[in-house]
Amino acid sequence: MKKVIETIKVHKIFGEGEIAVHALNDVSIQINEGEFTALVGPSGSGKTTLLNMIGGLDTPNSGNIILNDQDIAELNKSEMTNFRQKNIGFVFQAYNLIPVLSAYENAEFIMLLQDIPTEERKERVYKLLKEVGLEGKEDNKPGELSGGQQQRVAVVRALAAKPAYILADEPTANLDSTSTKDLLDLMARLNQEENMTFVFSTHDQRVIDRAKRVIYLDDGKIVNDEQR
Amino acid sequence: MRFTFIMLAWRNIWRNRKRAFLTISSIAASLFFVLFLRQMQFWTYDFNIKNTVSGSVGYLQITDSSYVDEKIIDNTLTSDQIDLNKIKEIEGVSGVYTKFQSGALVSTGLKSRFAAVNGINPLTDNKLLKLDRKLKKGTLLSPDDKAILITERMADYYKVSVGDTLVLMGQGYHGYTAAALYPIKGLLSFSVGDFSNMVFMPIKEAQYMHVAENRFTHVLIDLENSNDLPEVEKQIQKELKDPLLKLRTWMEVLPGLKQGLELDANSGLIISAILYMIVGFGIFGTIVMLYNERKFEFGVLSAIGTGRSSLIFITMTELFLLSSIGVLFGNLVAMPFLYYLNNNPIELGGEAAKAIIDQGFEPYLGTGMFLDVFLANSLAVLVIAAIASTYIIFKLIKINPIESMKQ
């Protein structure tokens, strides 16, 4: 199976001297295509820092991060932005859709950045919105959608550009139990049917229960890596 | 993609309607005042240049080159030196007039004072110099009159009125004495100081008195549009074959008026600059608020792969559209007022009028409809907006998605 994420002895320190915090300490992981992985740990354990690293949003003080066969240390800021656009899909805790764009326009935004032709964009976005149960809601602005619906639009936005993997930072934190279940069902289906790789950072036991692999972090170290 | 970005920028403007309204209003209001001020200034200049120059000095003036330094009758021109018909045919020329101006001691009883003597062609100059409007008593001159018009101020000084006689004594051509007795045919009122000590008589009579028949001091050329001055000047220069002839613009003939206008224009620029600063700070405030409100969103957009150039394009387009709406409203609101005052200038009275007259201007309040004033000031606001926008460009160039997404 193809490796999509690899971290090798990654070390991240915030601050200097006596107030230095070792957010990640020699973290080495491999995540393969098609995995459904949860990063779990208490606050301050380093899971968000690790998610930022594998999302190409931050760089380590030492160690290597190889994402979809690319060592990100070799990329400058602009190349990194471009790399994220083409390879990584993000789903955020607070959905973070653009409030003035409709569900359809939000979903197609990354494809627009990639200069994908209009017809192809249209076809893919309508198909995905239908798959996630948002048929008929294409023209609704985020403010006209429920939290669960907004998060599904965010998933479609992440998926539409066909990334190598999707990172979801506490995706269910703002959702009620029904919306959480619907979202997890959707992600699990996409993982099974389209072999899409998902990595979550979460506290939510419902997400942990559905994960096929759970990586436990504490004090910036991996304390357990459980395959299910 | 660009279309979507422009659409996004347009929708972003209306995310905070109150702020958009306030920004648009502040731009529009400042531009309104700047336009009003500048259009009034330039109208005043144009109006005063027209009044001062047209008919007496001319937008362009041809003299003997020696007359420039020494304004004596011996340095006058004769009609065979210039082909006036050819000058009349030049595009943009509205009139060509020969003039005879000199000076003479004007006296009666024990009172005497120097005055400018203006030989006019009553058939054209009564209208051109607006003598019909300035006549306060008596009647205007006819071409064959052997009489004069004087100003009310002179009449007060000499204690004379219509029907009384004044003695004029000056120097004629080639040392002849120029002296004669002239009855006063009318009294004129000039608000502007330079004209308050002037005698008008038919040009034929002025030439006769100075023993200078068929001679004239200068040829005055009026224009249909003052903007044509440089081009008409070039064309006339080509027609002047006699090397002794000198062609000058009104700015060379009346450097004092030009300097006065420039000085006034500079004071207007200072007021405009203050208003522009208000515009600049208004836009800058909007930009700072806009960035802080959307810092998180910019972080998200950057995280999902929106390049900095795209973020800058979206934001700059938004600010450009916002400023353009302000500029458009400023122009639209100003235009009816400017148009009305352009067609109906207000004649001032009282102290305000006196103050304006003391500065050498006519006491009228009007506004222009000069296209270049609209364009230059609108562009200035957009440039100020662009300069103020460098703040957000700088912020977006340095954007760090993680820092921006921290709440």
Side-chain angles (χ1 to χ4, degrees), chain A residues 52 57-58 77-78 81 84-85 90 92 96 98-102 105 109-110 112-113 115 141 157, chain B residues 1 4-5 7-8 11-12 15 296-297 300-308 397-399 401-402 405:
Chain A
N52 286 339
L57 297 170
D58 205 354
K77 256 187 170 183
S78 169
T81 305
R84 287 198 301 268
Q85 182 203 102
F90 287 91
F92 300 95
N96 298 334
I98 302 168
V100 293
L101 298 184
S102 65
E105 289 162 342
F109 190 78
I110 298 171
L112 264 172
L113 297 175
D115 277 333
K141 299 272 169 62
R157 176 175 70 183
Chain B
M1 181 165 70
T4 306
F5 284 175
M7 180 194 70
L8 179 58
R11 290 187 194 169
N12 275 339
R15 282 168 75 161
F296 186 88
E297 190 176 308
V300 172
L301 287 171
S302 176
I304 64 173
T306 313
R308 279 168 292 180
I397 285 172
K398 289 202 331 178
I399 195 163
I402 295 176
M405 287 193 287

Side-chain angles (χ1 to χ4, degrees), chain B residues 240-291:
Chain B
L240 298 182
K241 310 291 180 205
D242 188 337
L244 290 174
L245 295 176
K246 175 82 176 171
L247 176 68
R248 291 184 299 164
T249 64
W250 68 267
M251 288 165 274
E252 292 168 280
V253 180
L254 296 172
L257 178 64
K258 187 185 172 235
Q259 280 168 6
L261 296 178
E262 279 173 354
L263 200 70
D264 196 70
N266 289 340
S267 70
L269 264 183
I270 292 168
I271 298 169
S272 301
I274 293 168
L275 288 168
Y276 284 146
M277 274 174 67
I278 296 169
V279 173
F281 281 114
I283 297 171
F284 186 71
T286 300
I287 289 167
V288 173
M289 275 195 286
L290 183 150
Y291 178 74

Side-chain angles (χ1 to χ4, degrees), chain A:
Chain A
M1 257 197 284
K2 191 191 170 196
K3 263 188 302 195
V4 287
I5 297 166
E6 185 176 17
T7 68
I8 306 163
K9 293 192 170 185
V10 165
H11 208 101
K12 182 69 181 178
I13 306 168
F14 292 115
E16 285 176 25
E18 287 180 10
I19 58 159
V21 176
H22 293 257
L24 291 177
N25 208 342
D26 278 335
V27 172
S28 296
I29 55 165
Q30 274 186 25
I31 295 174
N32 296 324
E33 194 176 28
E35 285 193 12
F36 202 70
T37 307
L39 298 175
V40 179
S43 291
S45 60
K47 58 185 188 302
T48 299
T49 306
L50 181 59
L51 204 72
N52 286 339
M53 297 282 171
I54 60 178
L57 297 170
D58 205 354
T59 48
N61 294 95
S62 64
N64 293 83
I65 297 175
I66 295 151
L67 305 174
N68 208 22
D69 298 329
Q70 172 68 54
D71 186 341
I72 64 165
E74 292 167 1
L75 302 175
N76 63 29
K77 256 187 170 183
S78 169
E79 288 167 339
M80 196 62 239
T81 305
N82 207 28
F83 180 86
R84 287 198 301 268
Q85 182 203 102
K86 289 188 165 60
N87 296 278
I88 311 169
F90 287 91
V91 177
F92 300 95
Q93 179 180 331
Y95 332 129
N96 298 334
L97 300 174
I98 302 168
V100 293
L101 298 184
S102 65
Y104 173 85
E105 289 162 342
N106 265 290
E108 74 160 354
F109 190 78
I110 298 171
M111 286 198 285
L112 264 172
L113 297 175
Q114 293 176 351
D115 277 333
I116 292 172
T118 314
E119 278 310 307
E120 194 182 335
R121 286 200 314 261
K122 210 171 170 181
E123 193 185 335
R124 207 185 304 170
V125 170
Y126 274 111
K127 182 173 170 271
L128 285 168
L129 285 173
K130 190 179 174 187
E131 277 180 26
V132 302
L134 289 174
E135 197 177 19
K137 301 278 183 189
E138 293 88 352
D139 296 329
N140 287 40
K141 299 272 169 62
E144 297 160 354
L145 299 171
S146 69
Q149 288 171 327
Q150 286 186 61
Q151 197 61 301
R152 278 184 272 161
V153 175
V155 172
V156 172
R157 176 175 70 183
L159 271 172
K162 294 183 178 169
Y165 55 96
I166 288 177
L167 299 179
D169 184 14
E170 306 273 8
T172 56
N174 291 337
L175 301 182
D176 57 36
S177 54
T178 313
S179 299
T180 298
K181 185 182 174 299
D182 289 348
L183 185 75
L184 289 172
D185 287 346
L186 167 70
M187 288 175 165
R189 186 160 54 83
L190 289 166
N191 173 251
Q192 276 172 359
E193 290 174 6
E194 300 192 18
N195 204 30
M196 177 56 66
T197 312
F198 282 91
V199 181
F200 306 93
S201 129
T202 189
H203 284 106
D204 190 337
Q205 193 55 46
R206 292 167 298 186
V207 179
I208 297 166
D209 290 345
R210 299 284 290 267
K212 290 180 191 165
R213 180 182 173 189
V214 182
I215 298 172
Y216 292 91
L217 285 138
D218 199 8
D219 283 339
K221 288 180 186 165
I222 294 173
V223 290
N224 192 15
D225 189 347
E226 181 189 338
Q227 291 281 355
R228 293 172 175 175

